[in-house]
Amino acid sequence: MGYTARAVVTRETGQLPVVETITVDDPKAGEVTIKLAACGVCHSDLSATNGTIGLPPPLVLGHEGAGTIVAVGSGVTEFAVGDSVVSSYITMCGRCRYCATGRPELCDLASKAMFTLPDGTVRTHDAAGKPLNVFTGCGVMAEYATLHTGNVVKLDPRGASMECCALISCGVVTGWGAACNTAKVRAGSICVVFGAGGVGLNALQGCAMSGATQVVAVDKSDDKLALAKLFGATHTLNPDTVEDVVKALKKLTGGGADYAFECVGYGAVVAQAYGCLRKGGMAVVVGVAKANDTTTIRTNSLTFEEKTLTGSNLGGARPREDFPRLLGLYQAGRLKLDELITRRYSIEEAPQAFDDLANGRNARGMIVF
């Protein structure tokens, strides 16, 4: 039977996505179909359109979605029609060594679901009946989407909008988790966050919630730096106003940061994040760089200064634990979500949403169905 849906599709690398009518098949074994209520427009989606993340078009975009289950496939017992859920761009098998040791963001199954469902097929087709790939096994920038249950997390909104729930599933957990899960920021520390977009703002939140006494936001947009103060930044720096970013940050922090978070996706900025650390500091790479991008650091600083350079994927999250945890923090008034949404779009306005994102106009754009 299936479903007809309007969806955001990238068909040509380097071009804005288009909105078209697609068909979404009913769920097979171990799958569910979701009617989407909201989907965030994430920088990773933009990266899939410009070639930074090299996935084959045509590709249904979207991985930061929230909605309601309308159908379940055979063998599905943990979800039911009517459940409120969010998508997770990490497919979790629950059985591999990474899932078993509490690191599902590295699940072996996820690498098999970068542009299809885990079985290598898709449930999406264009008007001509040709298959459409789906971004990270999700493809939730559409009115309906069929996902493997390993990409779905149940939430109890309890007064929270579905827009806020959608944000949790990527932008919030990626930034907040980089600070709270990956770095485990210690109270009283000094933190620097490069990039004050949707992810960077949540890294700032994570640092502030962890008790950091100085939190510096670095961004070329003065508007974003102003917003950063709302999310916990105690100081801001526009790199265009100084000759040497690393020297300026070391002066501002009184000798260097304990933690630095790169939320931009450029090797040169990673080097700045590492360079602004004091001895024993940790730099966490959160942004997604192009496959051929590289970072150069002074090797002996790893030995003599005991610095750490590491990465963070989905904020080192355990989605089925951390997503409800973050929603609970919001419901308790301790986590900002509504303030992240700078503009809402209809599905037909999706190309404009991507243009706004590419030009740095939003902290987070949100498509509302």
Side-chain angles (χ1 to χ4, degrees), residues 29 65 82-83 182 239 244 264 274 327 336:
D83 284 346
T182 305
D244 190 313
V264 182
Y274 183 83
L327 183 59
K336 296 182 186 299

Side-chain angles (χ1 to χ4, degrees), residues 200-225:
L201 291 174
N202 286 290
L204 292 168
Q205 281 206 92
C207 293
M209 290 175 66
S210 298
T213 53
Q214 185 178 8
V215 183
V216 184
V218 182
D219 200 286
K220 293 185 176 184
S221 167
D222 289 334
D223 289 339
K224 288 185 178 180
L225 290 178

Side-chain angles (χ1 to χ4, degrees), residues 14-33:
Q15 300 296 319
L16 286 175
V18 296
V19 181
E20 56 187 77
T21 299
I22 69 169
T23 57
V24 180
D25 296 342
D26 289 319
K28 295 185 178 181
E31 301 171 359
V32 298
T33 299

Side-chain angles (χ1 to χ4, degrees), residues 14-99:
Q15 300 296 319
L16 286 175
V18 296
V19 181
E20 56 187 77
T21 299
I22 69 169
T23 57
V24 180
D25 296 342
D26 289 319
K28 295 185 178 181
E31 301 171 359
V32 298
T33 299
I34 303 169
K35 181 178 181 181
L36 276 301
C39 182
V41 184
C42 178
H43 204 278
S44 294
D45 293 300
L46 179 65
S47 294
T49 71
N50 62 25
T52 298
I53 299 177
L55 299 178
L59 182 77
V60 181
L61 297 169
H63 61 284
E64 190 180 80
T68 304
I69 291 180
V70 293
V72 298
S74 62
V76 175
T77 57
E78 68 266 47
F79 298 103
V81 172
D83 284 346
S84 296
V85 295
V86 295
S87 58
S88 167
Y89 74 77
I90 296 296
T91 308
M92 302 164 286
C93 73
R95 298 180 299 275
C96 70
R97 62 177 297 185
Y98 301 107
C99 287

